[in-house]
Amino acid sequence: MQQHIRREISDAFASSKDASLQEMIRENTLEIEAEEFFPGGHITRYHVHNQALYGRQEIVQINRDFSVITSNIEATKASQTSYSGAGWLALQLCVAGEYEVSINKQNPQILKAGDCRLDIFSKRGTLNRYQQGGSRYRNVALYMSLESFKQHLNVGQHAERMLEQLFQEELIHPHASSTFEASKSLMISANELSEFGRFGGLRPAYIKAKAIEFMVYAANFARWQGRGVSGLRSRAKLSRSVDIAQQTKAIIDREYSMAHTIDELAQRIGTNRTTLSQSFRAEFQETPMQYRRRLRLEVAKQMLQYHEGSVGEVAEHVGYADASCFIRAFRDYYGETPGS
C-alpha cells in the first residue's frame, strides 16, 4: 500500500523531475495524512518534513490531465520544484508569502500574495518554482491540458476557437505568461481551497468547480491581454466587434449559397459595411466574401468526393449560377479541376 501511495504522489506531481521531490519519495519523508479515491481521480494530503521543506500539501488529480496542488510550505533552505509539459495551462494563485517563478529558468518573476499567473505552453517547456531559505508561502496551483479544459467546459465553437487561439504562435508567444491581481472573490475561493479539511466528502467536486472557475477567469484575462486591450470601455468595444464578426459568420455558414452583399449583411446585423468588414477581418483574418468563397469551395469539394451530383449540380448547390465560373474558382483555389 505504501508503495502504491508513493507512485500516486509521483504521478500527481505532473512527471516532475525535481531531485528533491524524488529524494522525499525514496526516503519516506512524506507522511500521508489522508487519501481518498473518487471516479476518475484521487486526493492525497500529506505532511512533508525533510532538510529543505516543512509543511503540508494536497494533490487532487481530477483526471490524468487535470491536477490541483495546494501548498502551505516553509523552506528551511533554498528549494526548487519543476513541472514539464506541452499543450497545457498552468495557473498559480499566491495566497500568502512569496516565491519565484520562471519558464525554462528565464525571466524570473516574484509572485506575492494576491498575484495570479497563467502560463500557456503551446510547445514543451519547464515551469520552475524557486523558494528562498527561511521563507514561507501558501498557494493553489492548477495544471490542465487544453483538451481537458475544453472537455470540462463543454464549450461552443466560438469559445473553443478562442481557447485554441491562445495556443497559436502567431497570436501569443509559445511560452506566454499573463500575470494579474486576483479579485476579492477569487482570493476568498483560493483561501478556502488552501484550508485542506473543508467540505468533507464534497471536496473533490468543490475543487473541480473552483479550479475551472479560476482557469476560465485567467484564460479570459489572457485573451484580453493578448489583444492589447485594457479597461472596460476598450473591452466593450472589442466585444461588440467580435459579436458583429460572429453574427456575420453565422449568417454565411447558414446561407453560403446566397449572394449576399456586404451592405445586406450589415443591414441584417444592424451596423454599417465599414464596421462589419473591419470587425470580420480582425476576427478571422479575411474578408466576409473571401470566407464565403472558401466555404463554398470546401463544401463543393466534399460533395464531389462523395459523388453527390454532377459538377454543374454541385456548382448550383453552393451558389454558382455559372458552372464555368465555379470550375475556374475551384482550379484557382485547389490547383486542380473539379473533375479531377
Side-chain angles (χ1 to χ4, degrees), residues 9 11-14 38 41-46 57-71 83 88-93 129 139-145 148 152 189-190 192-194 196 203-215:
I9 290 175
D11 291 345
F13 265 95
F38 53 88
H42 68 273
I43 293 179
T44 305
R45 190 178 306 128
Y46 60 90
Q57 282 193 318
E58 178 184 79
I59 302 173
V60 181
Q61 249 190 319
I62 308 299
N63 58 39
R64 287 181 60 87
D65 301 321
F66 182 1
S67 297
V68 182
I69 302 178
T70 305
S71 306
Y83 305 90
W88 58 294
L89 304 96
L91 175 63
Q92 302 180 70
L93 294 85
R129 187 168 65 223
N139 85 331
V140 178
L142 286 66
Y143 303 93
M144 187 184 303
S145 70
S148 182
H152 281 91
S189 295
E192 289 179 338
L193 280 183
S194 65
F196 299 109
R203 185 163 176 79
Y206 176 78
I207 289 176
K208 179 178 178 180
K210 284 300 176 182
I212 292 174
E213 176 188 340
F214 293 165
M215 199 64 85

Side-chain angles (χ1 to χ4, degrees), residues 186-329:
L186 211 63
M187 286 306 298
I188 289 172
S189 295
N191 271 288
E192 289 179 338
L193 280 183
S194 65
E195 295 175 10
F196 299 109
R198 303 252 341 230
F199 296 94
L202 295 175
R203 185 163 176 79
Y206 176 78
I207 289 176
K208 179 178 178 180
K210 284 300 176 182
I212 292 174
E213 176 188 340
F214 293 165
M215 199 64 85
V216 168
Y217 186 94
N220 187 54
F221 184 91
R223 173 199 181 202
W224 292 116
Q225 191 177 70
R227 294 180 180 221
V229 175
S230 61
L232 292 177
R233 183 172 296 181
S234 298
R235 291 189 183 188
K237 184 177 180 181
L238 179 57
S239 291
R240 172 59 179 158
S241 175
V242 171
D243 187 53
I244 288 172
Q246 290 295 333
Q247 287 189 59
T248 304
K249 180 179 180 295
I251 293 174
I252 296 174
D253 286 345
R254 292 193 308 266
E255 306 170 13
Y256 56 82
S257 63
M258 303 293 290
H260 298 307
T261 65
I262 295 294
D263 288 325
E264 289 170 345
L265 291 170
Q267 186 176 12
R268 287 179 62 172
I269 294 171
T271 185
N272 58 67
R273 61 176 295 130
T274 301
T275 300
L276 184 145
S277 297
Q278 291 175 346
S279 299
F280 197 94
R281 182 180 283 276
E283 184 70 6
F284 300 112
Q285 293 77 54
E286 60 185 340
T287 69
M289 298 301 102
Q290 287 172 335
Y291 174 74
R292 184 179 66 187
R293 175 176 177 269
R294 178 167 61 83
L295 180 59
R296 284 177 170 180
L297 294 173
E298 288 174 354
V299 171
K301 185 176 183 180
Q302 289 183 346
M303 293 180 68
L304 291 166
Q305 286 176 334
Y306 291 101
H307 308 289
E308 298 181 10
S310 64
V311 171
E313 291 170 336
V314 170
E316 183 178 358
H317 177 83
V318 298
Y320 285 88
D322 187 343
S324 61
C325 291
F326 166 68
I327 294 172
R328 185 163 55 250

Side-chain angles (χ1 to χ4, degrees), residues 44-247:
T44 305
R45 190 178 306 128
Y46 60 90
H47 178 239
V48 54
H49 48 89
N50 62 13
Q51 294 181 350
L53 300 173
Y54 181 87
R56 298 170 71 199
Q57 282 193 318
E58 178 184 79
I59 302 173
V60 181
Q61 249 190 319
I62 308 299
N63 58 39
R64 287 181 60 87
D65 301 321
F66 182 1
S67 297
V68 182
I69 302 178
T70 305
S71 306
N72 191 344
I73 296 293
E74 179 179 354
T76 54
K77 65 179 183 180
S79 176
Q80 179 175 290
T81 306
S82 303
Y83 305 90
S84 298
W88 58 294
L89 304 96
L91 175 63
Q92 302 180 70
L93 294 85
C94 184
V95 180
E98 64 179 49
Y99 55 90
E100 182 182 284
V101 178
S102 65
I103 303 298
N104 299 331
K105 296 186 178 181
Q106 297 177 356
N107 303 318
Q109 177 189 12
I110 300 294
L111 291 190
K112 299 183 179 181
D115 287 343
C116 295
R117 172 172 165 140
L118 176 66
D119 289 286
I120 302 171
F121 291 77
S122 61
K123 292 185 176 180
R124 187 163 188 84
T126 300
L127 185 151
N128 305 291
R129 187 168 65 223
Y130 174 79
Q131 186 181 3
Q132 291 184 345
S135 65
R136 190 180 188 92
Y137 76 88
R138 187 154 53 101
N139 85 331
V140 178
L142 286 66
Y143 303 93
M144 187 184 303
S145 70
L146 177 65
E147 289 305 314
S148 182
F149 190 29
K150 290 192 294 186
Q151 289 171 9
H152 281 91
L153 288 180
N154 193 24
V155 295
Q157 290 184 353
H158 183 199
E160 186 170 325
R161 183 177 182 277
M162 182 271 287
L163 292 174
E164 289 174 347
Q165 282 182 338
L166 294 177
F167 278 72
Q168 292 177 8
E169 289 187 52
E170 63 270 26
L171 297 178
I172 197 164
H173 190 273
H175 296 148
S177 300
S178 299
T179 306
F180 54 96
E181 186 177 349
S183 65
K184 289 183 179 179
S185 62
L186 211 63
M187 286 306 298
I188 289 172
S189 295
N191 271 288
E192 289 179 338
L193 280 183
S194 65
E195 295 175 10
F196 299 109
R198 303 252 341 230
F199 296 94
L202 295 175
R203 185 163 176 79
Y206 176 78
I207 289 176
K208 179 178 178 180
K210 284 300 176 182
I212 292 174
E213 176 188 340
F214 293 165
M215 199 64 85
V216 168
Y217 186 94
N220 187 54
F221 184 91
R223 173 199 181 202
W224 292 116
Q225 191 177 70
R227 294 180 180 221
V229 175
S230 61
L232 292 177
R233 183 172 296 181
S234 298
R235 291 189 183 188
K237 184 177 180 181
L238 179 57
S239 291
R240 172 59 179 158
S241 175
V242 171
D243 187 53
I244 288 172
Q246 290 295 333
Q247 287 189 59

